[in-house]
Amino acid sequence: MQPRLSLVTLGVSDLEKSRAFYEAWGWKASSASQPGVVFFQANGLALALFGRADLAKDAGVEDRPTGFAAVTLAYNAHSKQEADEVYARAITAGASAMKPLQDVFWGGYSGYFADPDGHLWEVAWNPFFPLDEQGCLFLPDHQT
């Protein structure tokens, strides 16, 4: 098996509100989007927004409140300045600030916000995981 993550789907309570947030944050909806699902292209994978109840039904599980889901998404920036800009844009687009950007114990710079459905996003600059020109992150032991 080739290790891969191809698509991340977020269950959302209001598809149009969530779409508006992600578009205001700077993401562009794909033409593959349909009335019940919105797709956004990221570098190397896609992000999808799908109605929460419909996603639970599709997965064959009960849709119940989760509180902290023990999962975060991350946007790694090329610099502290870019991290500041990305975080500010998310807040302006309607995100809730959870933890302001700050220098952190592991040597980077990081903060958290929640999207309109409470999905946690970390915005970080990590000097130990440099990004390529397209913003792709490769771990130090990655071989091309």
Side-chain angles (χ1 to χ4, degrees), residues 51 71 73 131:
V71 173
L73 304 167
L131 307 175

Side-chain angles (χ1 to χ4, degrees), residues 51-101:
R52 182 183 172 102
D54 292 334
L55 182 58
K57 182 179 176 183
D58 186 54
V61 299
E62 181 183 348
D63 179 13
R64 57 179 180 227
T66 59
F68 175 59
V71 173
T72 64
L73 304 167
Y75 181 102
N76 279 47
H78 289 276
S79 65
K80 286 184 176 183
Q81 179 182 345
E82 181 189 3
D84 287 334
E85 292 166 1
V86 168
Y87 189 87
R89 186 170 182 166
I91 302 307
T92 300
S96 298
M98 304 308 289
K99 177 184 171 189
L101 286 159

